[in-house]
Amino acid sequence: MSATAAGVAPFTGDRAESIEMIRDSARGLLGSDMARVRKLRFTEPGFDPALLRQMAEAGWIGLAVSEDAGGTGLGQAEMVALAEELGRASAPEPLIGCALSAHLLAAAGEGELLGQLLAGDAVVLTAWQDRANTLSLAASADGARGFVLGAAGATHILWPVQEGGRVALHVLARDQVEITTEATQDGGHLGTIRPLPWSGHGPGRHVADDIGAALTEGLDRAALATAAALLGGMEAAFAMTLDYLRTRQQFGKIIGTFQSLQHKAADAKMQIALTRAAVEQAAAALDEGAPSHLVSRAKARASEAAMLVQQACVQLHGGIGYTDDYDVGLHMRRAMVLVPAFGGAALHRRRFMELSPELEDA
């Protein structure tokens, strides 16, 4: 069995050390206190702008943006490690959405707004879809677009538009759009964005003629980062569950000694290991410029495994796991929001079948 298939990171030496340093940095900044997450639920913007600025100052938003464009110039393996820690902390900050916008702005050569985003002076999110569970760009240039996590905190919106067979990029300031929000299961929100009436060629300010390839690549990166966040949430919930199984007593015995519970925990551990292998292999493939079908495999597996593992963790806690006061439920609610983000399991299974070179040659 290969190192990747076994769930071991496929990196050694300096690269492995760099990834571990990012993990340590993320854990130090995010902490492990879920009280912060609870305090932010059902508020707007639903995240801590000051912490998002700290993330930007730490180089997280521009982690995979080239140094020439003002970013950190690291790879997808580092971004995956960071996203995993975000998921482990159930952090509501829209870092993945901001990283997608940074990627598009860098491709467009829009240095001024990119600099503001990377410095934490702007919160730039991308509105690209007009229906759920799709990776396709909205058909209309001026119709409503939705499913933007953390939209209430945005200072700017990126608005890709089909123009003459290409994908142009426009930037809209906050006062050029109407944003309505809908609460999500984790206490955050999804935003629906409508551009206000404009004159000229398309909404807002035109900044690039063709970012189609960058949008496709950026959505791949965002889908993989979301899979990694789901992985981090699974591992955090599972660690809490193991602690509970080792300490909770029933009928005079530690419940972790009950064989039926051991079987359920073993199934959850297997799902986590398979997800880690898929996510890390996809990150390594993206860094090597390989086809993106591995991203779809990772997102499909993470989306399915997350719900299986989170439900198992809640059940293994018994009645307390179903209460809102217990932290394991926060991870399950976060997973319910992230599973459909950037495409759910069914979409990515279909996409894997379409893109897989092995299947094409069969």
Side-chain angles (χ1 to χ4, degrees):
M1 179 180 293
S2 69
T4 299
V8 179
F11 301 104
T12 58
D14 292 343
R15 188 78 187 274
E17 185 177 345
S18 171
I19 291 171
E20 195 57 37
M21 288 176 62
I22 287 170
R23 291 186 184 279
D24 290 342
S25 172
R27 290 167 184 164
L29 186 55
L30 295 169
S32 58
D33 186 2
M34 297 294 280
R36 182 187 84 86
V37 177
R38 291 185 175 280
K39 183 178 179 181
L40 291 168
R41 293 193 303 166
F42 305 110
T43 66
E44 287 196 0
F47 61 87
D48 183 354
L51 182 58
L52 184 60
R53 175 184 284 272
Q54 287 182 275
M55 293 178 181
E57 292 172 347
W60 293 3
I61 292 175
L63 197 70
V65 173
S66 70
E67 292 182 277
D68 290 343
T72 310
L74 299 178
Q76 291 310 295
E78 287 82 3
M79 188 66 194
V80 157
L82 174 59
E84 188 183 329
E85 297 306 322
L86 291 170
R88 197 184 306 278
S90 201
E93 284 71 26
L95 182 78
I96 294 173
C98 287
L100 169 60
S101 297
H103 175 71
L104 295 180
L105 288 171
E110 177 56 26
E112 182 177 357
L113 184 56
L114 176 60
Q116 294 173 12
L117 173 60
L118 297 183
D121 295 330
V123 178
V124 186
L125 299 176
T126 301
W128 53 272
Q129 64 185 120
D130 57 3
R131 54 192 172 90
N133 199 32
T134 182
L135 292 175
S136 299
L137 179 60
S140 171
D142 56 353
R145 300 185 181 184
F147 311 101
V148 181
L149 283 169
T155 61
H156 298 78
I157 299 293
L158 298 189
W159 197 267
V161 176
Q162 290 280 0
E163 290 182 359
R166 299 179 299 181
V167 179
L169 186 65
H170 299 253
V171 175
L172 294 91
R174 179 62 182 85
D175 60 5
Q176 294 177 305
V177 298
E178 174 190 337
I179 299 177
T180 56
T181 61
E182 179 179 355
T184 52
Q185 294 94 333
D186 64 344
H189 67 268
L190 293 171
T192 297
I193 302 171
R194 296 174 177 83
L196 297 177
W198 73 90
S199 60
H201 301 287
R205 179 170 58 90
H206 180 103
V207 296
D209 292 326
D210 189 5
I211 50 93
L215 179 61
T216 299
E217 182 182 7
L219 292 177
D220 262 351
R221 293 182 178 191
L224 182 57
T226 303
L230 286 167
L231 171 61
M234 282 187 260
E235 291 195 323
F238 188 62
M240 293 173 60
T241 302
L242 289 182
D243 286 344
Y244 184 77
L245 294 177
R246 290 166 181 151
T247 55
R248 178 78 167 93
Q249 292 193 20
Q250 194 172 25
F251 309 118
K253 293 184 177 180
I254 299 295
I255 64 172
T257 62
F258 299 162
Q259 193 171 60
S260 62
L261 301 188
Q262 291 176 350
H263 288 167
K264 187 177 284 289
D267 288 342
K269 185 175 182 179
M270 179 185 68
Q271 291 291 339
I272 293 170
L274 291 172
T275 301
R276 174 170 294 285
V279 167
E280 292 181 345
Q281 186 177 10
L286 278 190
D287 282 340
E288 294 169 2
S292 58
H293 67 287
L294 293 177
V295 170
S296 283
R297 186 179 69 176
K299 183 57 165 65
R301 173 160 298 278
S303 295
E304 290 187 335
M307 296 314 303
L308 291 172
V309 171
Q310 296 293 355
Q311 288 168 3
C313 288
V314 168
Q315 291 166 3
L316 286 167
H317 277 83
I320 193 173
Y322 290 89
T323 66
D324 188 62
D325 293 335
Y326 206 68
D327 286 348
V328 72
L330 295 181
H331 288 292
M332 184 175 74
R333 293 181 180 90
R334 184 62 175 166
M336 293 171 70
V337 174
L338 294 181
V339 160
F342 301 103
L347 181 148
H348 279 286
R349 278 198 301 269
R350 290 195 303 270
R351 188 168 180 262
F352 175 79
M353 295 288 288
E354 294 168 358
L355 297 177
S356 176
E358 293 86 355
L359 295 174
E360 289 177 0
D361 295 338

